[in-house]
Amino acid sequence: LHSHTHTRSSGATSGLVLCSFGIRNCTGNLAISGQPTRSADAVVIGGGSLGCQTIYHLAKMGMTNVVLLERDRLTAGTTWHTAGLLWQLRPSDVEVELLAHTRNVISKDLEEETGLHTGWIQNGGIFIASNKQRLDEYKRLMSLGKVYGIESHVLSPAETKDLYPLMNVDDLYGTLYVPTDGTMDPAGTCTTLTRAASARGATVIENCPVTGIQVRTDDLGVKKVKAVETAHGTIETPCVVNCAGVWATKLGEMAGVKVPLVAMHHAYVVTERIEGIQNMPNVRDHDASVYLRLQGDALSVGGYEHNPIFWDEVSDKFAFSLFDLDWDVFMQHIEGAINRVPVLEQTGIKSTVCGPGTQTRKCIQLCLHCMMLGGGCGRELAHWVIHGRPEKDMYGYDIRRFHNSLTGNNRWIRERSHESYAKNYSVVFPFDEPLASRNMRRDPFHQVLTEQGCVFQERHGWERPGWFNKDGPAPLKNYDYYGSYDIKKNVNYKYNELLNKEYTFGFPPHHDVIKSECLSCRHSVAVFDMSYFGKFYLTGPDAKKAADWLFTADVNKKPGSTVYTCMLNKRGGAEADLTVSRLEAGASVILVPSAPGDAYYLAIGGGVAEHNWNHIRSVLQDQGFRCQLTDHSEDMGMISIQGPKSREVLQEVLDTDLSNEAFPFSTHKVVNAAGHQLVAGLVWSRAFSALCSPQSSLDSLSLSLFLTCHLKRACWRALGQMNSRLYAFLHVCLHCVCV
C-alpha cells in the first residue's frame, strides 16, 4: 500500500510511539533508541522473506527511518518452513533478473556487509525433460540464460546419469543443468537481512501485531495512508508495504484494499539418510510435478498437485504451526519421486512438513511470492516506495493489472488460484489461456459471436474474440477444477480440445484461419469487437490542463477531433497508447456526460485499463487538477470496421457523408445507425490502410463505432442484415494487437 491507494474504497486515528535499534521484542510502548517518535517514512508489515528483503533494500537505498513490524517472530507463517530452492532460469526475462539479484544478495552481498553466512548452499539444479516439448522449453531457457551470463547445459540421459548416479533416466529426453543453482536457509537469510538493515538505521520489531491502518481522504477524494495502529502504539506514516503473506488479504482490508489471495496447504517430506546422495543437485521433474531438494544426506520431496487443500479460515494465531499431512493428496508426489530416484522406495521418511502457502503465481502473482524471488522483488518494492515506481517492468506483479471488480470476487480468486497451483510446473506456451474464472465480463455481442464459432481469449476479465473455429461453436464451460474435489470433469469440451492443440512453440493449427481473416481485412472489410477496451471520460474545469500534462500529442484540437497519442511517466517511459477525443464543452448529447469545462473521451487497451486508470488518477491527484475521471467501460461498446470496403459498407448503414471532405481523418461525430444514435470516430485509417493495402489506401477507412450497451446488438444486427455480402464479413474477427 503506497500513499496512493487508488483502488476503487478508510480508517481511524490515534496517537503514536515506536521501537529501538536492532531487532526488538516489543512488550510495551514503541520507542527508537530510547527516544519516542511519532513517524516513519515507511512501515513494512511482515517479517518473512519479502518483508526482510524490502526493509534491507529500503535502508540500503538510503531510507533509514523505516520500521518492520512482525506480529510474532521473524520467518513466522510461511517462510520458516519453505524449501528455499533457487532456480535461476525462468521463461520471463524479468524473473531471471529478479532471481539473479536474490542470488547475489544471499550468496555474496550480505556476507560481505555483515560477515555472517546466510546458509546459502550452491549444489546446482537439474530440470527433467520427459518429452520433446519440455526439452525445447529448456533449450529456450538456456538461450535466455546466456544473455544474463547464467551457465547452463542441456544434458543427454547418459550425461545426466553420470552427474546423478541414483537417477532413473530410462524415460528421459534430456535435462537442463545449472551448476550455480542452490538452496537458501530461511532463518539464516532473514536474520542476516535484518541485521544488515538495522546496521543502516532501520528498525525491526517482533511480537508487534498490527491492529489497524488509518486512511484519510484528501480534498480530491483520494484515500491516503495516515498511520499504522499496533497493540503497543501508533506509527504515523505515508506508506505501508504489505508483506504479510497468508495474512495479506486481512491486512489489505484494514486500508480498504482488496488483495486477491488464497491460502493453501503445501507439503514436503524429509527422507532418512540416503547413501550416495550427498552433494547431488536439486531436481525439478516438471512433468511429474515433483521436486527433490538435497538436505544433507537426505532428500526433501514435494510438489504441486491438482487437488490442493484450501485454508479457508486463516488463523491469526498460526505462527510456527503445521497441518497434518493428508497422505491421500501427497502420495502422487511419492510415486513421481520413486520413479525418478528408485532408491526412495526403500528409504524411510524422517519427518513431514505441511504448512500454509500463498498461491499467487502466473495468473495471480503479486510481490507476495516465494523466497527465491524475494531479493529481486524486495529491491523493486524499495525502489517503488522511494522513487514512485519500480525500476524494472513489474506489471506482472502489479495488483493494478487486475480489474477492481475481480479482486474481491471469491469465485475468480479461488478458481484462478487453483489453476495456477495445479499448472505450476506446466510448460509455458505462448498461446495458453486459462480455463478457470472465465465469463466474468462479457459484452452483449458474446452470444452472437459464440454461435458463429468464436474462440475467446481472456483479458482483464473480459472475454474478447480471438479467432473463429470453422467447425462450429466452442463455448466455455464452468471450471471443473481438473476433476478434483468430487467435481465432475468436463467432457466433450471443444474449447479445451482446441486449446490443447495450440500448445506449441511453432505456428498453432488455427494459423491458416488467422491468415484468412487477415486477407479478408486487407482486401475487403472486417469487423473487430473491441468492446473490452477501457472507455473513460475526463471532464471538469481543469480537464484541458490535465490533458496537456497527460498526453504526448496535442489533443486540444477543436471539438470533434480524435488524436492517437501516448501517456508517459515521470521517467519518460511509455505507460500506454490510446485515442483521445475532444468533446464539445458542456455538451449533453448521447454518450457525453454533461459537465462544466472541457471534456475528453479516452479509449484505452482493455488488458491495461485498470493500470491506466490508476496512472491517470495519480497524475490528477499529484498535480491537484480539478477534474473527474469516470469509467464507462461496462456501459459502452466499441466496434471497429476496417478494410478497403469499410467506407462502402458503412455508407449504407450510417446517415452521415463519409467522404474525405465531410468526415476527415482523426475526427468523430454523432451519427445514426439503424435508427439509433451513436458516436463514429475515424482513427488510424491512413497508417493501417497503407500497411494492409497500399493500392487502395486513399479509399480505406478504419472507423470505430462507440455505442451504449443496449444498442450494441441492434447495430450489429443492422450491419449484418443489411445485405448478404456484409453478413459474411461481419463474422470475421482478428487477433487484436492493440494491447
Side-chain angles (χ1 to χ4, degrees), residues 516-683:
S516 175
E517 294 173 352
C518 288
L519 290 175
S520 295
C521 186
R522 176 170 183 166
H523 298 299
S524 189
V525 60
V527 178
F528 297 71
D529 177 14
M530 301 169 74
S531 298
Y532 75 101
F533 265 43
K535 297 170 279 288
F536 307 151
Y537 283 110
L538 179 65
T539 60
D542 288 344
K544 183 178 183 298
K545 291 181 181 178
D548 284 339
W549 184 275
L550 282 163
F551 310 119
T552 56
D554 180 9
V555 299
N556 286 304
K557 312 286 185 181
K558 63 181 181 181
S561 63
T562 297
V563 178
Y564 175 64
T565 182
C566 289
M567 284 195 298
L568 304 184
N569 53 49
K570 291 179 180 178
R571 296 176 61 190
E575 285 289 323
D577 65 330
L578 67 158
T579 58
V580 179
S581 298
R582 176 85 181 272
L583 307 176
E584 198 73 49
S588 182
V589 297
I590 187 71
L591 304 180
V592 181
S594 178
D598 294 292
Y600 301 85
Y601 169 76
L602 319 180
I604 298 178
V608 292
E610 185 75 14
H611 190 276
N612 293 160
W613 167 275
N614 282 277
H615 172 74
I616 296 171
R617 286 288 303 273
S618 294
V619 170
L620 300 183
Q621 171 195 342
D622 294 344
Q623 301 302 318
F625 292 130
R626 295 170 301 148
C627 49
Q628 295 76 45
L629 185 69
T630 54
D631 186 353
H632 289 270
S633 301
E634 307 283 346
D635 310 324
M636 298 169 61
M638 184 189 300
I639 302 173
S640 180
I641 296 90
Q642 302 185 17
K645 295 186 179 180
S646 55
R647 184 195 303 268
E648 176 186 348
V649 166
L650 284 168
Q651 191 63 79
E652 298 184 39
V653 179
L654 305 181
D655 65 349
T656 299
D657 183 358
L658 296 180
S659 66
N660 290 335
E661 295 74 24
F663 202 156
F665 172 60
S666 284
T667 61
H668 68 270
K669 60 176 65 177
V670 177
V671 297
N672 284 294
H676 297 286
Q677 197 176 52
L678 54 124
V679 172
L682 180 57
V683 291

Side-chain angles (χ1 to χ4, degrees), residues 237-469:
T237 182
C239 179
V240 171
V241 186
N242 184 349
C243 298
V246 169
W247 294 269
T249 298
K250 186 171 293 187
L251 189 66
E253 289 173 354
M254 294 180 182
V257 175
K258 297 175 289 185
V259 180
L261 193 70
V262 165
M264 298 177 182
H265 294 199
H266 184 70
Y268 62 86
V269 300
V270 182
T271 70
E272 299 284 359
R273 183 179 187 278
I274 302 173
E275 185 62 40
I277 204 68
Q278 295 86 348
N279 302 317
M280 288 296 102
N282 300 317
V283 177
R284 229 180 186 183
D285 191 339
H286 291 92
D287 295 312
S289 198
V290 66
Y291 62 80
L292 307 171
R293 172 193 183 272
L294 182 69
Q295 191 149 330
D297 58 0
L299 287 177
S300 294
V301 179
Y304 293 85
E305 57 277 355
H306 280 184
N307 55 339
I309 299 172
F310 290 93
W311 191 24
D312 293 319
E313 300 296 330
V314 178
S315 170
D316 288 339
K317 301 185 183 302
F318 202 99
F320 291 94
S321 305
L322 292 172
F323 305 114
D324 292 331
L325 181 63
D326 188 323
W327 285 101
D328 290 336
V329 174
F330 192 78
M331 275 306 295
Q332 56 191 293
H333 304 313
I334 296 293
E335 294 166 3
I338 290 173
N339 174 62
R340 191 55 52 219
V341 181
V343 70
L344 288 174
E345 192 168 15
Q346 287 81 43
T347 305
I349 292 176
K350 180 166 58 177
S351 62
T352 65
V353 177
C354 183
T358 53
Q359 186 48 33
T360 57
R361 190 176 180 274
K362 289 183 181 176
C363 300
I364 305 185
Q365 179 167 276
L366 309 173
C367 280
L368 305 162
H369 198 18
C370 57
M371 187 174 178
M372 74 174 84
L373 287 166
C377 287
R379 180 180 63 178
E380 294 307 310
L381 275 172
H383 200 279
W384 211 327
V385 169
I386 295 172
H387 300 288
R389 62 181 303 106
E391 194 170 28
K392 299 188 185 303
D393 178 11
M394 297 294 285
Y395 183 75
Y397 295 77
D398 193 332
I399 194 172
R400 295 172 300 179
R401 75 190 188 281
F402 303 132
H403 190 259
N404 68 91
S405 67
L406 303 177
T407 53
N409 187 304
N410 289 331
R411 181 201 143 203
W412 179 78
I413 297 169
R414 194 177 185 90
E415 289 184 5
R416 192 61 65 87
S417 295
H418 172 269
E419 186 173 39
S420 175
Y421 187 98
K423 296 180 67 175
N424 193 45
Y425 280 177
S426 298
V427 177
V428 181
F429 289 108
F431 305 106
D432 196 12
E433 290 290 328
L435 296 175
S437 305
R438 298 299 296 268
N439 288 331
M440 302 299 297
R441 304 174 75 193
R442 296 180 293 183
D443 67 59
F445 298 139
H446 183 270
Q447 185 59 37
V448 175
L449 297 177
T450 298
E451 292 169 358
Q452 295 298 320
C454 184
V455 179
F456 286 92
Q457 301 167 335
E458 189 272 343
R459 298 293 183 272
H460 214 49
W462 284 106
E463 296 298 327
R464 80 166 189 185
W467 55 282
F468 280 80
N469 178 37

Side-chain angles (χ1 to χ4, degrees), residues 49 75 79-84 118 184-191 293 371:
S49 168
T75 75
T79 296
W80 74 272
H81 60 75
T82 185
T118 63
M184 300 172 286
D185 172 54
T189 298
C190 290
T191 299
R293 172 193 183 272
M371 187 174 178

Side-chain angles (χ1 to χ4, degrees), residues 52-53 55-62 101 104-118 189 191-201:
C52 294
Q53 290 276 10
I55 198 166
Y56 164 75
H57 283 91
L58 283 169
K60 193 170 183 177
M61 291 181 187
H101 183 69
N104 287 338
V105 169
I106 62 172
S107 66
K108 181 171 65 73
D109 295 353
L110 284 174
E111 190 165 348
E112 292 176 355
E113 291 179 36
T114 66
L116 301 174
H117 183 52
T118 63
T189 298
T191 299
T192 311
L193 284 166
T194 51
R195 291 275 182 88
S198 297
R200 295 175 182 271

